[in-house]
Amino acid sequence: ARPEVARRVGEMLDAAYAEARAVVRRHGLAVCRLADLLVAHETVAGADIESLVSACHPGVGAAVRPGAGRRPRGRRT
């Protein structure tokens, strides 16, 4: 019903997908090790993920923390 909104949402999804692919490419070793941990244990604590990322890419742990770099979202009324 609102093609402009659909177009903008599509653009946002495309950009988010491209960013996610870039992060996975950049941190492929950590992603693979995390996948192995998840297969073995089903859950992994956030601190363990940060340690894993830091071991694979020193100085990067905080940059890949969930929500890092995201803008806060305000409520719309």
Side-chain angles (χ1 to χ4, degrees), residues 43-64:
T43 60
V44 179
D48 294 333
I49 295 171
E50 287 187 31
S51 295
L52 184 147
V53 171
S54 293
C56 293
H57 304 282
V60 177
V64 295

Side-chain angles (χ1 to χ4, degrees), residues 4-19:
E4 178 62 21
V5 172
R7 184 189 64 75
R8 292 193 63 197
V9 168
E11 288 172 355
M12 291 169 67
L13 289 172
D14 290 344
Y17 180 69
E19 182 180 351

